[in-house]
Amino acid sequence: MEWFINSIYYIVPFIVLLGILVFVHEFGHFLIARLSGVQVTDFSIGFGKRLWSFTDKQNTTWKICAIPLGGYCQFLGDADAASAGADETVKELNEEEKKKAFPFQNPWKKLAITLGGPGFNYLFAILIFTLMFAFLGKFSFPPVVGETVVGGAADKAGILKADRILSINGHQVENFSDITTEISLITDGVAVVKLNRAGEEIELSVPLEMMKVEANGQTTERPMLGIKSMNSMELDHEKMSLPAAFLEACNESWRITEGTLRGIGQMITGKRDSQDIGGILRIAEMSGDISKKSGMLDFIAFMALLSINLGLINLFPIPVLDGGHVVIYLVEIVSRRELNAKIKENLFKVGFALILALMLFATWNDFVHLFHRFFA
């Protein structure tokens, strides 16, 4: 019976979460295509066997398929769902149909349709944050030291209770969770901490100490500052006006984007462990943990975070991803001619191989992580 309950906690929230995010992403492509006069032939949530479908008045077939690990939006004239090239049957289209076929559109229109997916992921996250900040208030812990761990890095460096952390390694800190984020991105073991103590600004160089941390049922060691918040239960519930909430939501989305890019950059340069790369199983685990131990608000905030990450990853300049299409269309705009079909085909083959390799690597990391969590 326990396994059935766990499956509900982990599988159902994951499917709901991924389904919503995929719908938002593909609807961005769909809406911009419709507004641009391009015919959308298929809108699918999931892959594989069709479980449910209907065709609307614009001849778009809306589908839910058996494998809920993604989706696609296919346009008239596309050879496949990735818009990797034109279908051979486009030669048989009449002039009226060609006006609605994707391969015959100018690169500016193709660029707008491509950016619609990632753009809607960001808009969705900004909408969630805006509504949260406006109607519920901004949930944050002030970056004020409640106490230091005896013998820890902060204790040895002279950081005191009630000190307010202003920045770490030059990066502004606005709430207590920012401290954890900035410390996790440090690679040389030393944090330059600027703080405010009774109105006086002080800057300290703090060598981090390895400390044991228990998370998700397992204990690990990581470099930490060794401080606790002033009050772990205190949250800022002050509501904002809609304009102020929107601006803060945009800032929050940018902070998440910047932190993600910095982390990826450190992985590429070898300064950060590539074991941090997670895939579908890691997302399922995290969504399950949140649904099991936290409330709906935490789940919605996690969905906004993932929406930003989905939009950002899709903008990477890798063929097959939206970012790869963006690069191709920009080249065509600058050169004022369409890229050779054979070159496009080879680029998409390389891109597909890269994505497949990354997915396999992330899945392996997920299996290793889950093994250590449940069996080590």
Side-chain angles (χ1 to χ4, degrees):
M1 189 65 180
E2 185 178 352
W3 68 268
F4 178 73
I5 295 174
N6 282 331
S7 67
I8 293 176
Y9 274 121
Y10 285 90
I11 296 175
V12 174
F14 168 68
I15 292 176
V16 171
L17 176 70
L18 198 60
I20 291 173
L21 295 184
V22 169
F23 177 85
V24 168
H25 182 90
E26 299 304 333
F27 189 74
H29 293 310
F30 168 84
L31 184 61
I32 303 301
R34 278 277 181 94
L35 293 174
S36 302
V38 175
Q39 173 67 48
V40 182
T41 60
D42 296 272
F43 187 107
S44 178
I45 303 298
F47 303 102
K49 184 179 180 180
R50 184 185 307 187
L51 301 178
W52 173 88
S53 69
F54 85 97
T55 302
D56 64 20
K57 295 179 180 179
Q58 302 294 327
N59 290 322
T60 299
T61 300
W62 299 73
K63 300 182 289 187
I64 295 177
C65 296
I67 306 174
L69 299 180
Y72 61 88
C73 194
Q74 189 164 349
F75 310 113
L76 179 64
D78 278 344
D80 53 44
S83 297
D87 188 73
E88 294 182 359
T89 60
V90 294
K91 299 175 183 178
E92 302 173 8
L93 299 177
N94 59 43
E95 290 303 315
E96 192 62 31
E97 289 172 330
K98 286 181 180 179
K99 292 179 182 179
K100 299 179 181 180
F102 188 79
F104 295 99
Q105 307 303 313
N106 66 63
W108 284 105
K109 194 177 288 188
K110 291 179 180 178
L111 180 63
I113 294 170
T114 301
L115 289 173
F120 263 58
N121 281 127
Y122 269 89
L123 288 174
F124 182 63
I126 290 171
L127 175 63
I128 289 176
F129 287 140
T130 299
L131 294 176
M132 285 177 62
F133 298 159
F135 296 103
L136 300 174
K138 187 176 180 183
F139 291 77
S140 63
F141 295 91
V144 178
V145 179
E147 62 177 292
T148 59
V149 177
V150 178
D155 183 39
K156 292 179 180 179
I159 294 177
L160 305 176
K161 179 179 180 180
D163 285 349
R164 185 179 188 92
I165 308 296
L166 303 176
S167 68
I168 295 176
N169 284 8
H171 297 280
Q172 186 177 358
V173 170
E174 295 188 355
N175 54 65
F176 203 87
S177 63
D178 290 340
I179 298 174
T180 304
T181 301
E182 295 301 330
I183 293 297
S184 70
L185 293 171
I186 292 174
T187 57
D188 61 2
V190 178
V192 178
V193 179
K194 181 181 288 187
L195 55 86
N196 184 298
R197 179 179 296 165
E200 179 185 0
E201 288 193 5
I202 301 172
E203 186 170 285
L204 300 172
S205 181
V206 184
L208 301 177
E209 297 278 344
M210 297 298 294
M211 298 182 65
K212 291 183 178 181
V213 179
E214 186 173 343
N216 296 327
Q218 64 179 8
T219 302
T220 59
E221 279 197 342
R222 65 181 67 170
M224 297 184 69
L225 198 56
I227 61 174
K228 298 181 180 179
S229 62
M230 178 66 75
N231 185 348
S232 60
M233 299 300 292
E234 182 181 355
L235 293 170
D236 178 12
H237 289 282
E238 183 179 352
K239 298 177 183 179
M240 301 179 177
S241 66
L242 274 175
F246 174 75
L247 289 176
E248 184 58 33
C250 292
N251 289 333
E252 184 68 23
S253 298
W254 170 247
R255 283 193 290 269
I256 293 171
T257 300
E258 182 190 28
T260 302
L261 288 174
R262 285 167 57 198
I264 292 172
Q266 290 176 346
M267 289 182 194
I268 293 173
T269 57
K271 295 179 179 179
R272 189 181 180 90
D273 197 333
S274 59
Q275 290 182 355
D276 289 342
I277 297 176
I280 292 294
L281 295 178
R282 192 79 60 91
I283 295 173
E285 178 194 20
M286 294 174 70
S287 62
D289 285 341
I290 290 172
S291 66
K292 196 173 183 179
K293 301 174 183 177
S294 305
M296 180 59 70
L297 188 62
D298 293 306
F299 186 80
I300 293 173
F302 179 62
M303 182 161 52
L305 171 65
L306 277 187
S307 189
I308 291 173
N309 284 325
L310 178 60
L312 178 62
I313 290 171
N314 266 280
L315 287 174
F316 288 174
I318 301 174
V320 177
L321 296 181
D322 292 330
H325 288 280
V326 168
V327 172
I328 290 173
Y329 301 144
L330 288 176
V331 169
E332 292 180 346
I333 289 170
V334 173
S335 64
R336 296 185 178 181
R337 62 179 181 180
E338 189 172 354
L339 203 62
N340 182 275
K342 192 66 177 177
I343 294 176
K344 282 186 182 180
E345 182 182 348
N346 291 331
L347 285 173
F348 280 106
K349 285 181 179 178
V350 172
F352 181 77
L354 286 173
I355 294 299
L356 182 60
L358 184 60
M359 288 177 62
L360 290 173
F361 181 71
T363 303
W364 171 254
N365 278 349
D366 289 347
F367 276 119
V368 171
H369 169 76
L370 290 174
F371 177 82
H372 284 295
R373 175 177 178 177
F374 293 108
F375 301 107

